Amino acid sequence: MSKVRHVLGISGGKDSAALALYMQQYFPSIELDLYSCDTGRELDETYELIDKLEAHLGLNVTKLHAVETAGMTIPNFEESEEISPFDYFLKEYGGFLPSTYSRWCTKDLKLKPFEEYIGDDPTVSYVAIRGDENREAYVSRNENVQTIFPFKKNIWSFDVLDVVMDYHNTGQLKDIYENIVKPDNLNRILEEVERPISMDHNFNKKVRTLLDLDVTAFNKAVFHFLKKTEFPLSRLSEEEFPLLDKSHVPQGDRIFVREQVFDLLEETVGVPEYYKKLEYEVDGEVGTYSRTRSGCFFCFYQQKIEWIWLYENNPEKFEAAKKYEKDGFTWIENESLDELTQPDRIAEIKRQHLEKKKNNNGTTSKTLLNNLLGEDEKGDYFDKEDEDYAGCTVCFI
């Protein structure tokens, strides 16, 4: 029987770095295998954060490359430019840039290296989706990989809960609660276990109720249910998976949210400079912009204001991104980077960005803190615009 591996992908961004720190602080008995899928086209601050994280944790982050390009160059008769894994696959795809419609960068530069790295080993993958995010992120389809979300109250992925909460398994779940878990409020929990899912009491509400009744009991019930499945956690004992019980974790840290991520980074390895809000001015009004996520500096998921941020604050990387555009292939649909950075267009994008932020200052936020905090309390990194920013979830695990 293969040993269960515990892996955590380090994207170079805030959340995955904070999760590595969180796990070492509160669950040091879990031997984490840290890895990073390197496209060769990340921002410099991304590599700097990984270096600092390695030094702070005393652990090595294994760099995965979809293809080893060391020594490969692009002959251009003027100078030989070294190519990255991204460049290699771009040539393979005939110069066709990745887009929301064809995310070959995700498939070839992220998923394949990860899946080759873990092979057939039973693997628990820890993913840094925060407690204030309403999304699940990438969950591997490989049967030997199980995804866990330590920052959330509900650490389980949907594929696990879909099996556990199936009405055909109600009897088995009841038996586990009664004979193994034995929580103090057993009768109330059994009442909820037996309650059928309906329009008024849907799947998500049922899960939330069981978590609210006793989150540790729920985790242990799910864990023991998995013993009769092929999920990787079926091979571990409770002692080998301490995330079932967060009672030793301070109450405020059991669910980890955005501002806590920044606080933890500031106390340890520092926050990458690209997250800090910088001021810009348009029509006499002042706004702020920054990069919202890690990832390739030319990521097609970034907002137009982020492209302007790159153009004005990292012109070298912007020019490198612009070089990839040719023969009708552009990073932004129907607009080249050259068109995007015409003075009138920059002013228009900044106006739109300012207007969007004004419109978002109401109380429609999904994140409670956005509704409660005053603007002077939100700090250098807080921005409602960043909420639930989807992007490519694989790049940020």
Side-chain angles (χ1 to χ4, degrees):
M1 181 183 296
S2 301
K3 179 182 177 182
V4 175
R5 295 173 63 179
H6 299 266
V7 303
L8 196 167
I10 303 297
S11 69
K14 64 185 188 304
D15 295 332
S16 61
L19 180 57
L21 295 162
Y22 180 91
M23 292 295 292
Q24 187 181 74
Q25 180 176 355
Y26 293 125
F27 304 97
S29 64
I30 296 178
E31 296 182 13
L32 282 177
D33 180 354
L34 306 180
Y35 71 92
S36 178
C37 296
D38 184 10
T39 66
R41 287 295 178 257
E42 320 288 336
L43 287 164
D44 295 340
E45 293 89 342
T46 293
Y47 299 112
E48 290 169 7
L49 180 61
I50 291 175
D51 290 342
K52 291 177 181 178
L53 196 62
E54 287 182 319
H56 184 89
L57 296 173
L59 297 173
N60 179 62
V61 178
T62 302
K63 282 75 173 179
L64 307 182
H65 300 97
V67 61
E68 293 299 332
T69 58
M72 293 186 187
T73 58
I74 302 174
N76 57 16
F77 304 106
E78 294 178 4
E79 58 180 335
S80 293
E81 300 177 12
E82 290 189 6
I83 69 173
S84 67
F86 175 84
D87 295 304
Y88 178 89
F89 279 98
L90 180 63
K91 184 178 180 181
E92 291 288 301
Y93 282 91
F96 183 81
L97 294 176
S99 68
T100 54
Y101 306 106
S102 178
R103 295 189 297 174
W104 59 257
C105 54
T106 298
K107 175 172 66 76
D108 291 308
L109 298 174
K110 299 287 183 176
L111 296 183
K112 284 186 178 178
F114 168 68
E115 292 177 350
E116 288 173 4
Y117 182 60
I118 60 173
D120 296 326
D121 294 339
T123 300
V124 180
S125 176
Y126 297 83
V127 177
I129 300 300
R130 304 186 311 269
D132 57 343
E133 290 186 286
N134 186 29
R135 63 191 181 104
E136 184 167 281
Y138 170 74
V139 175
S140 177
R141 295 181 181 178
N142 290 9
E143 293 182 356
N144 62 306
V145 182
Q146 181 174 354
T147 304
I148 294 293
F149 307 109
F151 280 161
K152 298 175 74 71
K153 184 174 185 177
N154 177 22
I155 65 173
W156 307 102
S157 56
F158 178 78
D159 58 331
V160 167
L161 294 179
D162 189 41
V163 175
V164 175
M165 304 303 292
D166 188 290
Y167 75 97
H168 291 102
N169 297 323
T170 299
Q172 185 178 342
L173 188 59
K174 280 182 58 183
D175 182 66
I176 291 171
Y177 266 116
E178 289 177 311
N179 299 303
I180 300 177
V181 182
K182 302 176 182 178
D184 292 337
N185 55 343
L186 177 62
N187 289 336
R188 174 66 187 92
I189 288 175
L190 293 181
E191 179 183 309
E192 185 59 37
V193 170
E194 294 180 310
R195 184 175 180 177
I197 292 174
S198 64
M199 290 291 289
D200 295 328
H201 195 70
N202 61 27
F203 179 92
N204 290 332
K205 189 171 182 179
K206 186 181 182 74
V207 171
R208 285 197 303 269
T209 302
L210 287 169
L211 285 164
D212 290 341
L213 286 169
D214 191 327
V215 64
T216 301
F218 181 73
N219 287 342
K220 290 185 177 182
V222 172
F223 180 81
H224 284 282
F225 183 97
L226 296 180
K227 288 295 183 181
K228 294 184 179 180
T229 70
E230 295 300 315
F231 284 99
L233 283 181
S234 66
R235 302 166 180 249
L236 300 181
S237 66
E238 280 193 29
E239 292 72 25
E240 292 173 310
F241 189 64
L243 265 166
L244 297 176
D245 186 356
K246 290 186 179 181
S247 60
H248 68 291
V249 178
Q251 184 71 37
D253 285 354
R254 293 177 192 175
I255 301 174
F256 222 66
V257 298
R258 192 174 192 273
E259 61 274 14
Q260 290 170 290
V261 164
F262 283 116
D263 287 344
L264 180 57
L265 292 181
E266 286 177 334
E267 294 167 3
T268 53
V269 296
V271 178
E273 283 296 312
Y274 57 72
Y275 285 121
K276 188 152 189 178
K277 299 295 178 183
L278 301 177
E279 290 187 347
Y280 65 79
E281 185 175 341
V282 60
D283 299 337
E285 291 191 75
V286 176
T288 61
Y289 60 0
S290 69
R291 189 173 171 90
T292 58
R293 299 273 179 160
S294 60
C296 300
F297 59 83
F298 46 59
C299 180
F300 49 85
Y301 272 116
Q302 64 188 312
Q303 304 163 67
K304 290 179 182 178
I305 191 65
E306 293 181 83
W307 280 111
I308 302 304
W309 173 89
L310 186 68
Y311 172 71
E312 295 182 339
N313 296 282
N314 200 331
E316 182 180 341
K317 286 289 191 289
F318 185 88
E319 289 302 316
K322 196 163 74 169
K323 285 182 180 179
Y324 286 107
E325 294 190 327
K326 53 187 174 182
D327 301 327
F329 297 138
T330 57
W331 292 113
I332 303 169
E333 188 175 5
N334 300 322
E335 186 171 30
S336 70
L337 293 184
D338 189 53
E339 293 170 328
L340 185 82
T341 50
Q342 295 302 306
D344 289 346
R345 182 66 172 126
I346 291 176
E348 180 185 11
I349 291 170
K350 288 180 177 178
R351 288 190 202 100
Q352 291 172 345
H353 184 245
L354 272 173
E355 188 63 27
K356 180 180 178 182
K357 295 184 78 171
K358 288 178 184 177
N359 293 337
N360 284 340
N361 280 337
T363 57
T364 58
S365 173
K366 296 177 185 177
T367 300
L368 179 61
L369 283 172
N370 264 317
N371 296 331
L372 298 181
L373 296 181
E375 291 304 312
D376 59 339
E377 298 177 282
K378 293 183 178 180
D380 290 334
Y381 309 107
F382 202 99
D383 192 341
K384 180 184 182 299
E385 182 182 275
D386 301 338
E387 287 184 275
D388 297 326
Y389 179 64
C392 172
T393 54
V394 176
C395 289
F396 310 125
I397 61 175

